Amino acid sequence: MASSIPSIAKLGPEILIEIFEHLAQDDIALCCRKWHPLALSVLYSDVVLNQKRLAKFVHACTDHEVRSLTVRLDAIPVNHPDLREAAQTAVAKLEALQRLALRIKGMNPLALSISVDVPYPYIAANEISSILDNLPASCTSLELDMRHGTFILGPGGNVNYSDKNPHPRLCNSIRSVLPQLQHLRLRLPTLCPAIFSVEAPGQQPNYRVTRATMLRTCVINLSMREPGYVPQAVWSTSCSDDTRYTPYFSSQCDLPSALPQVLPVLKDFARLNCANLKRLWVIDLQQQVFAQPHSWAGWVRRDVISNTSFPIPAANIGGFCHDTWFARVPASTDPKKTQDWVSLLAWVAMVAEGNTWTETTSGTRLPMAMLRAQSDTRVVRTREQFEERESISCMLWSNEKKVGEHILPKGPGELMKQWNLSERMPDGWTRHDSAGSSFVRR
């Protein structure tokens, strides 16, 4: 007697594809030969490559068209004084990126996200420039996130600086692909007006702003460190012929921000490309003032189009817990109102950027406009959700509940306003000067 239970072999391809989309990449690769073409269409839809996978991918993979490509090369542990392993790993990362440049054209991605953290003084700018120089016209969404979370000391305990300056070439390469992009996100140690223009303002007649009529969103994150007390090397600086002025972790140089040099070009760029450009934000960093016990660190969202800025206070309210970073962010429906969010630092930073780009649970980085309806994104909890599930709170919430009003500054303000993120004292209340003290009635 034939079984009444339908066989999985009778399922249509559209149902099988939906099943494959819920499996891990390593599990999809283990399917039978009959389903292999369907599995490949899912496996190469949104490709996520870490250090190991990237090396294998560029070595063995034949050309496959992909929907999106996410390359994430995390920080390399550096064991002083034996630096050979870290140096070899850094070189291997850069070589894999260089080989990817030869593959990228045949992959035809719609979105490309590259996040690279290499020990200074190794710099991935030349390798990423090669990838952009070979970027196919199909790619309309680009994210570049470069940092130096570690460093390698040379003889005498000093950092070995390179005499070469690869950053201008990267800025020029970004400018060359701008006309084809709809979504752009940048976080680079150094940047300059060359990304958005030929020559700099005032250098007429050569000054010419880049036309990028398809661009809808552009977010430039200047923060190179988490919000806190550290004053050195905290934000992107201007491209320089001297690579000693590159921000890296543990740098003691008090480097100037790139914003004053880039901002005039961004304003001209926004005016020229206003037809479709809906968001042009610069995420600035506001460090905590050590001498003020009730001051906060955070970000400042500078909206070039509306010529306004919004402070986003942030802090880890859970001590050594990694998923208790708090940020007070302008509400998406009304920027004059705020919403409190709690999660990992990286996830609240995404909310601070307005979720312009977001990350799925599989690690895929995409602009929000490209997310599929069934995509699972990283969890960021509201204050209410956090307080319901955790026993952790913070004195800010307690004090605000006591006085019945917000005590941190909120926007909007002028575009280049230097925000004071100190808690204000409501009328009729006082408190001790020690950090985290409670309000009491006068």
Side-chain angles (χ1 to χ4, degrees):
M1 182 176 179
S3 172
S4 59
I5 301 176
S7 169
I8 192 173
K10 295 182 180 179
L11 293 177
E14 67 281 354
I15 297 178
L16 289 172
I17 288 176
E18 188 169 342
I19 293 173
F20 290 151
E21 286 177 345
H22 287 80
L23 298 177
Q25 287 187 342
D26 293 340
D27 295 331
I28 297 174
L30 298 176
C31 73
C32 66
R33 186 176 301 175
K34 179 181 178 181
W35 292 341
H36 195 247
L38 292 176
L40 283 182
S41 69
V42 175
L43 189 63
Y44 289 101
S45 176
D46 296 312
V47 176
V48 180
L49 302 174
N50 56 19
Q51 169 72 21
K52 275 186 183 177
R53 285 180 173 174
L54 175 61
K56 293 179 181 178
F57 187 87
V58 297
H59 177 72
C61 180
T62 57
D63 288 341
H64 283 280
E65 291 196 357
V66 303
R67 175 174 175 261
S68 72
L69 176 62
T70 301
V71 179
R72 184 165 186 165
L73 307 182
D74 292 328
I76 301 170
V78 178
N79 180 26
H80 295 283
D82 186 2
L83 307 172
R84 288 172 296 179
E85 184 176 353
Q88 290 171 359
T89 305
V91 170
K93 276 187 177 184
L94 300 182
E95 289 177 348
L97 286 173
Q98 192 64 54
R99 289 197 296 272
L100 179 62
L102 303 176
R103 299 278 192 187
I104 193 71
K105 194 176 289 290
M107 298 171 67
N108 282 326
L110 300 179
L112 173 63
S113 170
I114 301 178
S115 175
V116 183
D117 192 328
V118 290
Y120 193 75
Y122 290 93
I123 296 174
N126 278 331
E127 289 73 18
I128 294 178
S129 292
S130 297
I131 293 173
L132 297 184
D133 293 344
N134 289 282
L135 196 68
S138 62
C139 185
T140 58
S141 299
L142 176 65
E143 177 183 44
L144 300 178
D145 194 319
M146 291 172 53
R147 277 167 285 176
H148 301 291
T150 53
F151 62 97
I152 292 180
L153 295 176
N158 297 314
V159 175
N160 282 332
Y161 299 107
S162 169
D163 293 331
K164 298 179 180 179
N165 176 32
H167 301 297
R169 184 189 169 206
L170 177 56
C171 293
N172 292 336
S173 296
I174 297 171
R175 186 183 68 243
S176 70
V177 300
L178 259 181
Q180 72 187 62
L181 298 180
Q182 296 179 13
H183 306 282
L184 174 66
R185 178 183 178 270
L186 299 174
R187 178 154 66 168
L188 305 173
T190 62
L191 53 88
C192 64
I195 295 177
F196 300 97
S197 69
V198 177
E199 299 298 341
Q203 295 181 349
Q204 301 287 0
N206 295 323
Y207 174 57
R208 186 174 69 255
V209 177
T210 303
R211 186 174 293 277
T213 56
M214 296 175 59
L215 195 64
R216 299 176 186 173
T217 65
C218 178
V219 174
I220 305 168
N221 193 325
L222 300 179
S223 64
M224 289 288 106
R225 294 196 181 187
E226 65 186 35
Y229 282 126
V230 181
Q232 293 91 10
V234 296
W235 45 50
S236 304
T237 190
S238 300
C239 294
S240 168
D241 291 334
D242 193 337
T243 56
R244 287 176 296 178
Y245 298 108
T246 298
Y248 65 92
F249 181 79
S250 195
S251 170
Q252 298 302 307
C253 295
D254 189 8
L255 302 174
S257 170
L259 184 57
Q261 186 179 356
V262 174
L263 186 60
V265 181
L266 288 178
K267 290 181 177 181
D268 290 342
F269 180 83
R271 283 191 288 267
L272 180 65
N273 299 290
C274 62
N276 290 318
L277 190 59
K278 305 304 180 185
R279 180 174 293 180
L280 178 51
W281 290 354
V282 176
I283 307 300
D284 208 353
L285 190 64
Q286 177 73 50
Q287 290 300 88
Q288 193 168 3
V289 180
F290 184 77
Q292 299 178 8
H294 307 304
S295 74
W296 284 66
W299 300 282
V300 177
R301 180 192 292 172
R302 305 195 186 276
D303 188 335
V304 179
I305 295 176
S306 67
N307 206 38
T308 56
S309 64
F310 296 84
I312 304 175
N316 189 342
I317 62 174
F320 293 105
C321 299
H322 296 298
D323 61 347
T324 54
W325 272 89
F326 152 82
R328 177 162 290 174
V329 183
S332 57
T333 53
D334 183 359
K336 294 181 180 179
K337 299 179 179 179
T338 59
Q339 174 72 60
D340 292 352
W341 299 92
V342 184
S343 187
L344 294 168
L345 175 62
W347 309 151
V348 294
M350 284 195 302
V351 179
E353 294 183 8
N355 287 313
T356 311
W357 283 70
T358 191
E359 184 169 328
T360 69
T361 51
S362 66
T364 301
R365 294 275 306 178
L366 289 170
M368 183 64 74
M370 284 187 65
L371 276 184
R372 289 169 170 160
Q374 73 273 21
S375 298
D376 293 324
T377 56
R378 300 292 187 182
V379 176
V380 183
R381 292 177 285 182
T382 64
R383 167 186 169 177
E384 294 73 22
Q385 293 170 332
F386 179 79
E387 289 185 313
E388 182 180 342
R389 300 182 185 182
E390 306 289 345
S391 58
I392 300 173
S393 186
C394 70
M395 188 55 67
L396 172 71
W397 293 340
S398 177
N399 280 333
E400 289 183 335
K401 184 177 181 180
K402 184 181 293 186
V403 302
E405 57 185 277
H406 283 186
I407 58 177
L408 283 174
K410 62 179 181 178
E414 295 178 354
L415 177 62
M416 289 302 294
K417 179 174 180 177
Q418 299 304 303
W419 288 90
N420 182 353
L421 297 188
S422 296
E423 299 175 7
R424 63 179 182 82
M425 184 77 69
D427 293 337
W429 295 86
T430 187
R431 69 191 304 187
H432 194 272
D433 285 341
S434 60
S437 59
S438 177
F439 281 125
V440 294
R441 283 285 188 185
R442 289 186 184 274

